[in-house]
Amino acid sequence: MESAPYFDMTDDEKMDGIARRVCGFVLLDSALESAFATFGGEELDPEKEEKRVWLGFLLIGN
């Protein structure tokens, strides 16, 4: 029976993989939240087209 690659990794390699995934989720969350940002109770980008452009830019940039 072949062992799973995860069990053959060192602890550092496992942590690197976990950190990359967590960082990816944080960047995704940041991009999604930025598209719907408000200041003083008003949306910074009220138009749908502006939101789409901003969201695309942030997702590609991250």
Side-chain angles (χ1 to χ4, degrees):
M1 177 181 231
E2 190 175 313
S3 65
Y6 181 79
F7 295 109
D8 295 333
M9 298 172 121
T10 65
D11 288 339
D12 288 337
E13 289 173 328
K14 290 177 188 175
M15 290 305 293
D16 286 344
I18 292 169
R20 270 191 236 106
R21 279 182 260 153
V22 168
C23 183
F25 287 125
V26 170
L27 291 173
L28 176 61
D29 184 54
S30 173
L32 293 173
E33 291 293 326
S34 293
F36 299 96
T38 61
F39 181 77
E42 294 186 27
E43 291 187 25
L44 296 176
D45 297 315
E47 300 295 322
K48 288 183 180 182
E49 291 79 20
E50 291 177 13
K51 284 186 190 299
R52 289 181 191 137
V53 169
W54 188 240
L55 184 59
F57 174 78
L58 291 170
L59 289 173
I60 291 168
N62 285 343

